[in-house]
Amino acid sequence: MAQVEATTQREIAAGPDEVFDALADYSGTRAELLPDHFSEYEVKEGGDGEGTLVHWKLRATSKRIRDCLLDVTEPEDGELVEKDRNSSMVTTWRVTPGSKEKTARVTVTTVWNGAGGIGGFFEKTFAPKGLARIYDEVLQRLATRMEKTG
């Protein structure tokens, strides 16, 4: 069983603190950023960063739907970690200063224990690209929102 990793990033024309606060706002902003791949979104506890428990279903493909129940932590400044209670999946959001003043770079990395055998080969080959596309859409929505309000 090999670890599978999907990563994507985007630079956003807004300050890192404002971008982080928007990402950490699970009871408001975060739900507005999610594309159709996410359904049944519900904040179960908390709602703002550390200590949040959030649920959603992630439709990675037409046949692959993950029921996610995520514990949110903030192990470092500018970092949100979502650990799924229902699987080995862990998603880390890192917000750092961008290349220009008043910009932020957001990097999203998701890792999980993949399947073995031929199924694992296909998962490791195709799943990261598909998940990166989904998170690219989330980051595009975040950029649009932040650049509109900034």
Side-chain angles (χ1 to χ4, degrees):
M1 195 180 329
Q3 191 170 60
V4 182
E5 180 176 316
T7 300
T8 190
Q9 69 178 0
R10 182 180 189 99
E11 192 150 314
I12 296 174
D17 290 342
E18 291 83 11
V19 171
F20 181 83
D21 289 347
L23 283 171
D25 180 15
Y26 289 87
S27 61
T29 305
R30 185 60 86 91
E32 298 168 12
L33 302 176
L34 300 178
D36 292 342
H37 294 277
F38 296 84
S39 63
E40 299 182 32
Y41 183 92
E42 180 185 7
V43 175
K44 302 242 183 220
E45 294 173 16
D48 184 26
E50 179 90 26
T52 297
L53 179 64
V54 64
H55 171 265
W56 60 63
K57 289 193 177 176
L58 172 60
R59 182 179 41 82
T61 68
S62 61
K63 295 179 182 176
R64 182 70 172 118
I65 298 173
R66 283 185 182 259
D67 188 357
C68 303
L69 184 60
L70 304 145
D71 286 301
V72 179
T73 59
E74 294 182 30
E76 295 181 24
D77 283 350
E79 187 174 86
L80 289 167
V81 177
E82 302 166 345
K83 291 184 181 176
D84 186 12
R85 290 185 181 180
N86 298 330
S87 73
S88 62
M89 189 169 69
V90 177
T91 300
T92 303
W93 299 80
R94 283 188 186 85
V95 181
T96 57
S99 62
K100 298 177 188 162
E101 193 174 327
K102 294 190 180 180
T103 64
R105 174 170 285 117
V106 181
T107 304
V108 186
T109 304
T110 301
V111 295
W112 68 94
N113 296 328
I118 191 74
F121 169 78
F122 285 105
E123 180 180 25
K124 192 170 178 97
T125 302
F126 298 108
K129 292 176 184 129
L131 192 55
R133 275 194 301 273
I134 291 169
Y135 281 118
D136 279 338
E137 191 171 343
V138 172
L139 292 177
Q140 170 61 49
R141 289 170 177 230
L142 176 63
T144 299
R145 179 185 177 90
M146 298 306 298
E147 292 165 5
K148 205 182 295 180
T149 61

